[in-house]
Amino acid sequence: MGNEKSALSGLQIDEKAVEITDFWVHYMARVNGHNAQTVSVFVSEPSLHYSANFGNPSPLEKATKNLMLYRHPCILKYVSSWSRGSKFFLATEQVKPLIQSIETQNTLQICMGLYNILRALVFLHEKASTSHNNICESSIYVTPEGCWKLSGLECLSKSKELTTSYLKKIRNYRYEKAISSNEDTIITTTNFTAIDAYAFGILAEDILKLKDSGDVPSFLEFKQFCKENLQNPDPCLRSKLSHVLQHPFFTHDFMRIYAFLEELPLKNNQEKEIFFGSLITQLRTFPENIVAEQFGRLLLSRMVLLDATAQEKLLPFVLEPKDGKDNININLFSISTFKVYLVPKLLQMFCIRDISIRLVLLSHFNSFVHTFQVDELKSQVLPELLVGIKDTNDYLVSATLKALANVVPILGAATVIGGKRGKLFTDGRPNKIKQNEKMNNSTNIVQFTVPINSIEKTIDLPERPSPDGGEDKKEMVSSITEEEYTWSDWDVQETGDMHFRISRSSDTTSYSNKILISDSTLTIPTDSAINIEKMKMTESKLIRKSAVLSDISELDIKNSKLTDSQKEEYDFFTDMEPVIKKTQILHVQQPQALSKSLFDIKILNGLETSEENNGWDEDLSDWGSEETQEVKT
């Protein structure tokens, strides 16, 4: 049976034994690798090979052979077997003996466990035509999910091999109390199942004698049935175990749900639709901890996850825990129950690289991601999610990226995406409160367009005492009407005429205003913020006269024919409301020609503007002249 080559790679067996019997020593072990798992390892040594009465192969080797041959969901799952030196090793799914956990089992759990053992025996009797011959507590193991598994197949035999001589040969290795006093004289090939029926009756009576009868319907009736029917001295009067499954003890609502989920692969689509359509309502009638403990494994099984009706009517209520708010009476499990019973199963499921299963989990990921511990999310879930973004399936990659977005608030972006990060984006939203608090430390850009040929004087820009209003109404209705506008800090525009740029030096506390004209620079010192409206008034006073129009309606922008450069200048000219900072540098670009200015007005009545109106006069007192007409742009 096996060799060293079939041994599990990366196997680490615990030093402390879980169980020591006459046949083997039972250890827990871990298999390291991509999908680390815990298994049970049974080790048989030469000193445990008893005597030649049992014959060859040894009990553990014979049990291993039968576990490999007879596969059933309720029979202990075979993983691997090998020999090393004089020892023989059997690896199975992780289990512990029923004897070690029976005290903590309630009546409902025992009912479900006995149901599993019955199903395994019915399979052996009706499908494999074999008899177990040693039904007892030592032949039953329990998985971490609480599922009972039948083992102890070292005494199993086919119906045609079940003879009196064989029963005498193995008698010393069987549970004495479960042996009928007259079995070797009345057992035939037609009623060979009576041996296991009698032993099952003894097992049920022993386990249930100290349990409460109020947890499960028909509890007392079933105990009486085991005594009178299954333990009847006449084997012919004992019921077949397939009929025992129909007893009311195994057919109440809770067991009916359990039985359907266990046998789901055998059901047709119509039966599944009816069952899942009403399942969530039925489950709410039972305590949530019992449902989670007993049904958690089944509700998250592959067959349930891939069923269309279950995906629509069941999984949304199972995979989203109650948050104590709107869904407290809708969803099935509270957060505490979800963490205890369902999270361990979900962690295992994320290691399964099946695209159908993964997509179902990702579709509900945002509902249960917060139930993971941070270290679980970081060390177990996140690595598997990162594998998903490298798959060739676009839909899987898209769903995985959405799931990663839900992980970022918990683990942080640095953990999720890795690598070096920097602040590559700025917040461009207007924040008036912040601007008011940090007026002295912020920087703004102000741009003007002024038609000018030369500047002969240094322009004084005094501070205005009031931020809004305060001007004479006559001054406000000037030849230039400007709308308020604040340029965004990411949209810096340049015009073809004059540019006023206001900036601040971060390493100095002294401030100055500069007007740059072509190649020359004029410096205007100031100790306070510049009044923008006053600046516009001073700027306007520099224009001595404006062109005279016969009709102001001729300036309608829809009727104007502007060049491309003029259109750009016009667009930049509209809506100006600059924000002034302490340190300002005002740049004035020398205009190329008066005709380039936005103030260049086409004379429609044939009149030409005299050259003296194009220059700047030292006398700025004509600002209020009535010759200047109001121009709306």
Side-chain angles (χ1 to χ4, degrees), residues 369 372-382 407 410-411:
V369 62
F372 293 115
Q373 298 291 336
V374 173
D375 58 338
E376 293 174 342
L377 193 61
K378 182 177 181 180
S379 61
Q380 299 182 56
V381 178
L382 179 59
V407 178
I410 302 176
L411 298 182

Side-chain angles (χ1 to χ4, degrees), residues 2 53 75 308 324 327 336 454 561 563 576:
N53 292 336
I75 294 178
N327 59 7
S336 58
S454 63
K561 296 181 180 180
T563 62
M576 296 186 301

Side-chain angles (χ1 to χ4, degrees), residues 595-612:
S595 60
K596 298 293 184 177
S597 171
L598 293 177
F599 294 92
D600 182 16
I601 303 173
K602 183 177 180 180
I603 305 302
L604 300 178
N605 56 3
L607 299 178
E608 295 180 357
T609 304
S610 62
E611 294 181 359
E612 64 180 2

Side-chain angles (χ1 to χ4, degrees), residues 395-413:
Y395 190 72
L396 175 62
V397 174
S398 175
T400 302
L401 291 174
K402 294 177 182 178
L404 287 173
N406 294 315
V407 178
V408 170
I410 302 176
L411 298 182

